[in-house]
Amino acid sequence: MSSLDPKKRGFATRAIHAGRDHKDPHGALTSPIYMTSTFEFETAEQGGARFAGEEGGYIYSRLGNPTLTELENKLADLEGAEACLTVASGMGAITSVFWSFVAPGDEILVDETLYGCTFAYFRHGLEKFGITVRHVDMRDPENLAQEISAKTKIVYFETPANPNMRIVDIKAVSEIAHSVDARVVVDNTYMTPYLQNPITLGADIVVHSATKYLGGHGDLMAGVILSSAEDMEQIRYVGLKDMTGAVLSPMNAFLISRGLKTLELRMERHCDNAEKIAAMFEASSKVEKVYFPGLPSFEQHELAKAQMARFGGMVAFELTGGHDAGLKFLNSLDLCKIAVSLGDAETLIEHPASMTHSPYEPEERAKYGITEGLVRISAGLENATDILADLEQALARV
Ligand SMILES: *Cc1c(COP(=O)(O)O)cnc(C)c1O
């Protein structure tokens, strides 16, 4: 029975079939790409009625486009959210949410470890407009309970956090935030809806950089926002339409819909490869510390097991020789590519302190646990033996 109820179908089935709300007039299996900026009205009155919200239908692609709608419906289904909005980048998603809900005098509480540009937006962007941004170590929800007040409008975090894999208890933090009516916004980029559903655990809004796993092929930039239908009215018609204008192109929306068909398969492989990489590093005498939630030695392993389906495709580690050994290691690789970004078919490796997390001041990095010797790997989809052989030969040269 269950497979006949579309809501009860498995993840891969929904990733392939959900979201399409019409039959193609020509019977095309794959939906066409609506490469159009604007939409023709039958009459002047119809145009007026659409602007007044009295009649459904498309107006202009900054407000909506059928190729984006299909993708948005699919993602809402996968993440278990009422509404979805797709935008031009992960940063476009984050900024569209904040510009929708904060005003001068408000306070937001954010975790200590954040994606570098998110950190820069809070520090150098929002603070300039009279919003107080305070960092709290959310690994212990008690810290949040101490700092939160009626002034707090948004609680924001990533879990696992980029780059050092710290985990935040989504359920516990959401309960504390809701005691003062603050919205909880979670960056779920590292996990994808396949491995973790923050809204089901109590969060209000989820953002993704779809540039990463959701697109999955390193060929586009995009962002995703998921929330209640009520919040999405504001995010779409204020945050996106009037404030950021970070509109996704129909071509990229099509490529993400295409990528989602294999998301489950890809994530399983990313997870398998990351587990093997983490185990290899943990056994190596050249590696000082491995940060991977799937290792029993990982500090928050139990919490990770409780809220994540698997442990994801990201591994961070520190070599015994610190910063210099890290750079030597990167420069000794052959198959693995030195590049920022993550979630691609290719295994990518980078040095957060000088690359993704350079927007932090050195003292801030030290304070927030982003050490100078930390190296971050995004496990790709290659054969594990080939990835491990490359990593091992590079370790041997350090
Ligand atoms: C890449 C990334 C972002 C920013 O997304 P873009 O698509 O590059 O704008 C935000 N959060 C996390 C965790 C990321 O990895």
Side-chain angles (χ1 to χ4, degrees):
M1 269 309 281
S2 71
S3 69
L4 295 180
D5 176 354
K7 289 269 162 226
K8 292 203 180 116
R9 288 174 176 160
F11 187 91
T13 309
R14 290 181 289 129
I16 293 165
H17 292 276
R20 182 122 176 217
D21 62 354
H22 62 279
K23 230 177 146 39
D24 184 79
H26 306 290
L29 175 67
T30 302
S31 296
I33 309 170
Y34 287 89
M35 292 295 279
T36 186
S37 52
T38 196
F39 297 83
E40 185 184 344
F41 307 130
E42 302 271 334
T43 60
E45 288 77 8
Q46 183 183 53
R50 287 197 186 169
F51 268 89
E54 292 155 6
E55 183 192 300
Y58 295 97
I59 297 173
Y60 185 65
S61 279
R62 180 152 34 78
L63 312 179
N65 171 290
T67 307
L68 275 61
T69 303
E70 183 170 328
L71 172 62
E72 288 164 357
N73 291 342
K74 193 189 282 291
L75 287 163
D77 185 297
L78 295 178
E79 190 79 77
E82 273 178 22
C84 174
L85 177 66
T86 52
V87 294
S89 67
M91 288 310 298
I94 294 162
T95 55
S96 296
V97 167
F98 278 86
W99 293 131
S100 300
F101 297 118
V102 293
D106 286 347
E107 175 191 84
I108 62 169
L109 296 181
V110 306
D111 197 11
E112 292 187 334
T113 315
L114 299 164
Y115 175 70
C117 299
T118 307
F119 176 84
Y121 168 61
F122 291 154
R123 270 269 92 81
H124 311 300
L126 281 183
E127 288 210 319
K128 207 165 66 175
F129 294 89
I131 291 140
T132 305
V133 181
R134 291 200 291 134
H135 293 272
V136 177
D137 182 349
M138 294 193 202
R139 279 176 298 177
D140 183 356
E142 229 359 82
N143 295 334
L144 180 68
Q146 302 252 314
E147 297 293 324
I148 204 160
S149 73
K151 277 194 305 195
T152 310
K153 288 292 178 296
I154 295 183
V155 170
Y156 182 93
F157 59 93
E158 304 165 8
T159 181
N162 186 348
N164 53 15
M165 310 301 292
R166 294 173 170 196
I167 312 277
V168 176
D169 185 333
I170 299 171
K171 193 154 171 278
V173 162
S174 298
E175 276 165 17
I176 294 165
H178 292 156
S179 70
V180 299
D181 288 330
R183 283 183 176 83
V184 176
V185 182
V186 180
D187 182 334
N188 202 27
T189 300
Y190 264 38
M191 288 280 92
T192 81
Y194 179 56
L195 297 177
Q196 178 171 274
N197 301 113
I199 289 177
T200 314
L201 295 169
D204 301 288
I205 299 175
V206 164
V207 292
H208 288 276
S209 169
T211 309
K212 316 292 168 56
Y213 293 107
L214 300 182
H217 296 76
D219 51 9
L220 60 89
M221 301 218 46
V224 174
I225 306 163
L226 299 125
S227 71
S228 66
E230 194 185 342
D231 276 357
M232 196 56 84
E233 283 284 305
Q234 287 205 62
I235 300 168
R236 185 185 285 273
Y237 296 112
V238 179
L240 173 66
K241 177 171 86 64
D242 300 337
M243 304 294 278
T244 67
V247 181
L248 181 64
S249 92
M251 176 59 89
N252 285 350
F254 167 81
L255 288 171
I256 299 166
S257 285
R258 186 185 205 257
L260 287 176
K261 293 183 184 184
T262 55
L263 182 64
E264 178 174 319
L265 284 170
R266 290 188 285 110
M267 291 316 293
E268 288 290 341
R269 178 67 163 247
H270 285 300
C271 290
D272 288 345
N273 284 350
E275 283 171 15
K276 288 174 188 155
I277 292 169
M280 189 272 274
F281 280 143
E282 192 169 51
S284 167
S285 60
K286 303 232 169 132
V287 178
E288 173 114 2
K289 193 151 173 55
V290 186
Y291 303 89
F292 181 68
L295 290 174
S297 61
F298 184 76
E299 219 177 295
Q300 297 171 290
H301 179 60
E302 290 306 317
L303 174 59
K305 271 206 295 200
Q307 73 179 18
M308 297 149 64
R310 288 191 69 183
F311 304 106
M314 300 298 296
V315 182
F317 62 95
E318 270 167 80
L319 292 174
T320 310
H323 173 270
D324 295 349
L327 295 198
K328 174 94 176 67
F329 177 76
L330 257 64
N331 288 329
S332 303
L333 290 162
D334 174 35
L335 178 74
C336 304
K337 302 298 173 209
I338 306 172
V340 299
S341 201
L342 56 104
D344 294 347
E346 295 81 0
T347 295
L348 304 180
I349 189 155
E350 68 118 0
H351 177 239
S354 67
M355 298 175 190
T356 48
H357 290 70
S358 56
Y360 279 76
E361 296 297 329
E363 312 80 62
E364 291 169 330
R365 277 198 299 272
K367 195 165 149 215
Y368 300 149
I370 304 161
T371 55
E372 299 303 306
L374 196 74
V375 175
R376 188 190 82 179
I377 288 198
S378 166
L381 301 176
E382 302 97 337
N383 296 104
T385 44
D386 296 323
I387 301 172
L388 293 180
D390 192 31
L391 297 175
E392 268 162 4
Q393 67 80 22
L395 273 182
R397 292 193 201 197
V398 174

